[in-house]
Amino acid sequence: MQTGGPDRAHAWAELLRLPALFTVPGDALAGAAAVSARPTCRTLLAIASSLCLYEAGMALNDWADRDVDAVERPHRPLPSGRIRPAAALGAACALTGAGLSLAACAGRPALTVAVPLAATVWAYDLALKNTPAGPVAMATARGLDLLLGAAATAGAGVDGEGRKVGACREWATAVADEPRVASGTATVPGAVDGIRRSLTSAADLGARTTLRSAALLGIRQALPSAVLLGAHTLAVTTVSRREAQGGSPLAPFAALAATAALTRTVIRQRSRATDQSDGSRRGPGSRRLTDLTDLGAAAMSRLSHPPRQTADHMSPPRPGPEPLDTHAALRLALAAAYAATTARPYLHATLNPSPPLTQRAVTAGIRATIPLQAALTARSGAKCATVTALLTTALAPLAGRFARKVSVT
């Protein structure tokens, strides 16, 4: 039986699980923060692509589970007859095509990540959901969604400060800015050009051996955040496999332990970015290459801007007050919000793994994705990370408001 008007709109909102939609934009925003970049129009395209692919997975999930839902959840839109199965499948196909098209508009790097993301979504719903590989596939999809935002943002070839992306920040600044001759100071153009050529050659060598493109750099920097977000998704998906039957305390207990481990990890300061990491991770050759580029950048800066020999210059710097670490405070608050959102529901489901309490645990795990995304954004320490993290956090009240009208599970 087909419904019309508000009832039909509510049926589609239930099919697409509208409240869960607010957990999607934070993926791309966390990915942009992981590459130390401000969100750009490409990031917005990545968010739109993620929303379409996420909703395609929701529609396809109900289409694939329509026979099971007829027994366990007869109130769902498909078994209740409020939406035809063919309409759900058509919506999944259309949304997948729209998601890939939007990713293509964000650039080839974004499309390169969106294609396996869409394939993972379809593979999960059609083949992997009821297998041991199901939770891993879902975690992979969430991690790829974060990498989609990173690839789209970094694929523009410009970092968050408007500079060209290179093997290191010093090189990027040096080759992006033309050397300016200070007033009254003579410089040797040949020396500057020689340093520039040597510096460019060294950076090109490093780019060929370690980073193939700016998009690969972004994916590499965003990979730790993607792994953490995927671990949370793995825990929630494992719990959801028993939400209709209940009876297993192991899954919510494991999710509770995973939440504690993730909270502790997020609270810690993220290691320095790839372009600022020490040579111990990259080997002696890469360390020498970085030292060469750093030395060349410093030489170019001194040739272009010689220091003034004044009394103020010769005097030692005066110690100033310690700056307030707002990133650390925000990261701590968001990590606490993440833990608080999931701890009690997971504990209740562990003590009494009944279907209602297990479903509450799953709902809490889905809602906790938002503060985790915000904490990962603040953890990056990038410029505008605080603003982006707060914008991500603002999605949580909206998700809670819609969750009172439409079920998340």
Side-chain angles (χ1 to χ4, degrees), residues 183-321:
S183 176
T185 304
T187 59
V188 182
V192 175
D193 292 339
I195 294 174
R196 179 183 292 275
R197 287 194 298 270
S198 300
L199 196 56
T200 304
S201 299
D204 288 342
L205 175 61
R208 286 195 301 270
T209 56
T210 59
L211 302 173
R212 296 297 180 183
S213 66
L216 289 179
L217 170 62
I219 291 176
R220 178 179 174 181
Q221 290 178 330
L223 192 57
S225 296
V227 170
L228 294 176
L229 188 60
H232 167 74
T233 306
L234 177 64
V236 177
T237 307
T238 303
V239 177
S240 69
R241 293 166 69 89
R242 301 289 301 178
E243 64 178 333
Q245 302 86 10
S248 176
L250 295 180
F253 178 76
L256 183 62
T259 299
L262 288 172
T263 302
R264 181 179 179 182
T265 303
V266 170
I267 290 176
R268 294 178 179 177
Q269 177 62 42
R270 180 189 175 191
S271 59
R272 290 178 294 179
T274 303
D275 56 3
Q276 296 176 338
S277 59
D278 55 35
S280 59
R281 292 187 177 182
R282 296 173 294 175
S286 299
R287 190 186 307 115
R288 286 193 297 268
L289 175 61
T290 303
D291 292 342
L292 174 61
T293 55
D294 291 348
L295 181 60
M300 286 188 62
S301 178
R302 292 195 178 189
L303 283 173
S304 302
H305 306 282
R308 297 179 180 178
Q309 300 296 331
T310 62
D312 292 339
H313 176 76
M314 298 300 294
S315 60
R318 298 179 179 178

Side-chain angles (χ1 to χ4, degrees), residues 120 132-141 234 237:
T120 303
V136 177
M138 182 62 73
T140 301
L234 177 64
T237 307

Side-chain angles (χ1 to χ4, degrees), residues 47-72:
I47 292 176
S49 174
S50 299
L51 291 172
C52 290
L53 294 177
Y54 187 87
E55 293 292 51
M58 291 298 176
L60 185 64
N61 176 77
D62 274 29
W63 180 84
D65 290 349
R66 60 190 185 279
D67 294 334
V68 177
D69 287 343
V71 178
E72 296 181 352

Side-chain angles (χ1 to χ4, degrees), residues 259-268 327-343 368 370-379 393:
T259 299
L262 288 172
T263 302
R264 181 179 179 182
T265 303
V266 170
I267 290 176
R268 294 178 179 177
H327 287 292
L330 180 61
R331 186 173 67 250
L332 180 61
L334 292 173
Y338 165 66
T341 304
T342 57
I370 296 178
L372 177 59
Q373 293 164 340
L376 292 174
T377 301
R379 181 172 179 260
T393 307

